[in-house]
Amino acid sequence: MRPITRSVFGASAAAVLLFAVAGCVDEKKVFVERPFFEQPAAAAAGFIGYTDTTTANKQTACGNCHVAHQAGWKQTAHSHAWADLKANAHAAATCEACHTTGQLGNAATTANVGYGGTQDLRYMDVQCEACHGAGLDHAQKPDGSTAPLASIAADTGKLGTAGCSGCHSGTHDGFAEEWRASLHGTVQSHAIGSTATCINCHTGQGALAAWGVTANYKGKTDAPAQHVAITCAVCHDAHSDKFAAQTRYAVTTSDTLTNLCMKCHMRRSVPDMTSSSGPHAPEGPTLLGQAGWIPPNATFKYGDLKGTHATGDMCVTCHMSKTNFAQDTKGYLNVGHTFQATPCVDSKGQFVGGACTDDLRSFKSCTVSGCHGSEAAARSAYATAELRLNTLVAEANRLIALVPKTEFKTNDNLITAGEGATFNVGIATKPGAAAHNPFLTEALLTTSIQALKTQYKLTSTPGVVLTNVLQGHGK
Ligand code: HEC
Ligand code: HEC
Ligand code: HEC
Ligand code: HEC
Ligand code: HEC
Ligand code: HEC
Ligand code: HEC
Ligand code: HEC
């Protein structure tokens, strides 16, 4: 519900102002009882800040007109950043820039503006202008042409680069550094792809458009080649605390259409009748037991075999563990914005990232979530599941190689045992399959192998166990 919309406000600036006034107060009154804003000091450089600083009201000048944004923002932690700082024993002048509204996080290119220039408490907290930039011009001539648009970039934290990392970086809060080390932090060359739909999940602007976010922001209409990656503002909603940590969607739901992570991590989890493509980001449905090709001989159906961890915070339980890493000089903290469940660490337990063998990975996320008694136990359970799945994958691949080539036809609206088994091998060989759902994955492979044997009169290797043994294993 937006109080101010383009359809209501048409041509003239005067009409806009009049309605804006009426819209802010009781419908019958024409005049607002308090000014929209007070003329700021020159040193504020156009930042207008609060019109009411009382804790109960926290009324921003912007929010006098943008009523819904004000109401949503007031519920967020940004609206009490100053009080939280002041309540902290270590509070000092050097802390203030990130806990107030000024040059950090927006397009301001000079230091000491807003709070920094004035030390005026009307600029305490992380208000609208921290992200949107100075709003005096717009408040004086309130229309779309003057509107200070926010950016969805995360950026480097340097002055003028407009992004969340202006404050959310460094040793106190290394979210930006962590995020940048993850694949969410860079647009990959394949992101733009050959079809327009690729950007729905692979770029920031693409995802927001796919999710129906119509709000205006800087760079919204950029061509796909200029798009930003999956930035902070893609997953986080600046104006709402409906879900914990201001995420745009819940992380706890098992509905793949509304789970934040699964909105993207669910591209192709079952075979496509009209193409030979393998699984593509099947993690959501895999966790929920809804992935793969279920052979006709199987006795289970979609949803029967859920992963043990298809509950609570779902993906976040393992991939955003709050105590993954020891703090280091690069600013990596004890939080999970690298999104890695078992990141590579050095001998001191500090995050190094990249690829490594399982013995060099931290399995702390598995112990923090309360499921496994120790890192060693979790690592061993993972190794057991991986070994079992690898054995079955090798056997399935051996049989698939013996299937007549005529069995692999795209566009025939038919999934043969050869095609289905190939798809299931794809599910089983996706990184993390052994953690996401070893039970489903094992069952998909054992039933596929049975189907290949029956369908094509093949014999399997003696000693390869074709019953399901992982269930209940490895706590
Ligand atoms: C006096 C009322 C008023 C004040 C104060 C005000 N705005 Fe606006 N704002 C408007 C109107 C009117 C529009 C135009 C609506 C439209 O064109 O959709 C608008 C539009 C916007 C837009 C959207 C532009 C677009 O293209 O859709 C943003 C962003 C915005 N304002 C941010 C702010 C911020 C940040 C502040 C505080 C610095 C602020 N506004 C203060 C009235 C106001
Ligand atoms: C001017 C500095 C500044 C900017 C810019 C800024 N933040 Fe923050 N943010 C803070 C501070 C300070 C806190 C801690 C507030 C508190 O808890 O007292 C915070 C808290 C948060 C939280 C914590 C929510 C919670 O419930 O624990 C989220 C999420 C967040 N910010 C996201 C963002 C995003 C996304 C952006 C960019 C669109 C952004 N922030 C821009 C300073 C900033
Ligand atoms: C570089 C920007 C920056 C500086 C400088 C900074 N902070 Fe923060 N602070 C943040 C951000 C961003 C958060 C939100 C982190 C989160 O939610 O995990 C935060 C959160 C906090 C919180 C937690 C609020 C809560 O209760 O959840 C406290 C307390 C705090 N800071 C105190 C300080 C103190 C004391 C200093 C100076 C010694 C300081 N900050 C300097 C950016 C900063
Ligand atoms: C933490 C950064 C941040 C803060 C604080 C913030 N905004 Fe925004 N705002 C954004 C971003 C990013 C967008 C664009 C994407 C979106 O709406 O989620 C946006 C979009 C908007 C729009 C455009 C809506 C449209 O439909 O075109 C308006 C208006 C707006 N904000 C007003 C406000 C007001 C008023 C406040 C303070 C009460 C505020 N914002 C606080 C980051 C912020
Ligand atoms: C892919 C989605 C995603 C992206 C991208 C993302 N976050 Fe988050 N963030 C989350 C989720 C989910 C949580 C909640 C984690 C939890 O519940 O433990 C969270 C939590 C947070 C918190 C609160 C942490 C706490 O300890 O309470 C802050 C602050 C935050 N994010 C800031 C950022 C910033 C800044 C960026 C960009 C540099 C960013 N996030 C990028 C999904 C994301
Ligand atoms: C907007 C879409 C989108 C959302 C939402 C999203 N992801 Fe991703 N995720 C991606 C894309 C795109 C990639 C990288 C694909 C590539 O190009 O290789 C990725 C990569 C990853 C990776 C591999 C990271 C690495 O650096 O190796 C993990 C793990 C991951 N996502 C987990 C999550 C989790 C957990 C959430 C929810 C908190 C989430 N994702 C939300 C789109 C998304
Ligand atoms: C519904 C969301 C979604 C759409 C649409 C999407 N992807 Fe992805 N894609 C992802 C996610 C999430 C990942 C990362 C997780 C993974 O690799 O399993 C990913 C990973 C990838 C990877 C790297 C991993 C791999 O398997 O090699 C490539 C390449 C890729 N996508 C290409 C594309 C192309 C090209 C398109 C358009 C034709 C596209 N994607 C459309 C969500 C999507
Ligand atoms: C039980 C813990 C656990 C849960 C729950 C979980 N994962 Fe994973 N995931 C892992 C492990 C372990 C790996 C493989 C090693 C690693 O990446 O740390 C992995 C790997 C991945 C990868 C591939 C990363 C790469 O390096 O290519 C993606 C993408 C991914 N998970 C996404 C998700 C998503 C999305 C969800 C929720 C639907 C999810 N995971 C739930 C533990 C988990």
Side-chain angles (χ1 to χ4, degrees), residues 4-84:
I4 298 164
T5 65
R6 251 176 241 289
S7 54
V8 177
F9 298 111
S12 94
V16 166
L17 200 51
L18 187 68
F19 195 87
V21 170
C24 294
V25 293
D26 187 68
E27 273 179 83
K28 299 275 182 276
K29 289 180 194 150
V30 175
F31 298 104
V32 72
E33 280 155 28
R34 54 173 186 267
F36 287 130
F37 63 93
E38 276 171 50
Q39 198 63 39
F47 282 76
I48 49 181
Y50 280 129
T51 54
D52 182 349
T53 57
T54 55
T55 307
N57 293 333
K58 289 285 174 83
Q59 181 61 53
T60 64
C62 315
N64 282 325
C65 297
H66 298 281
V67 180
H69 286 88
Q70 161 76 27
W73 167 85
K74 216 176 130 199
Q75 304 304 316
T76 71
H78 284 150
S79 76
H80 48 76
W82 179 256
D84 290 341

Side-chain angles (χ1 to χ4, degrees), residues 182-184 188 190 201-202 207 211 230 260-261 264-265 319 339:
S182 81
L183 281 175
H184 291 147
Q188 305 295 311
H190 53 246
C201 307
H202 280 270
W211 297 354
I230 314 301
L260 175 69
C261 310
C264 298
H265 288 270
H319 282 279
F339 302 96

Side-chain angles (χ1 to χ4, degrees), residues 261-262 265 283-284 287 309 314-315 318-319 340-342 361 382 431-432 435-436:
C261 310
M262 298 181 197
H265 288 270
E283 296 85 11
L287 186 71
H309 309 80
M314 302 270 176
C315 319
C318 303
H319 282 279
Q340 297 193 4
T342 59
R361 290 174 179 276
Y382 190 54
H436 294 151

Side-chain angles (χ1 to χ4, degrees), residues 77-78 80-81 84 98-100 104-105 126 130 164 167-168 232 236 245-246:
H78 284 150
H80 48 76
D84 290 341
C98 300
H99 288 255
T100 58
L104 297 180
V126 182
C164 318
C167 303
H168 288 271
C232 326
H236 292 283
Q246 294 176 239

Side-chain angles (χ1 to χ4, degrees), residues 41 53 248 365 415 444 470:
T53 57
R248 274 187 204 271
S365 68
I415 295 162
L444 290 173
L470 288 174

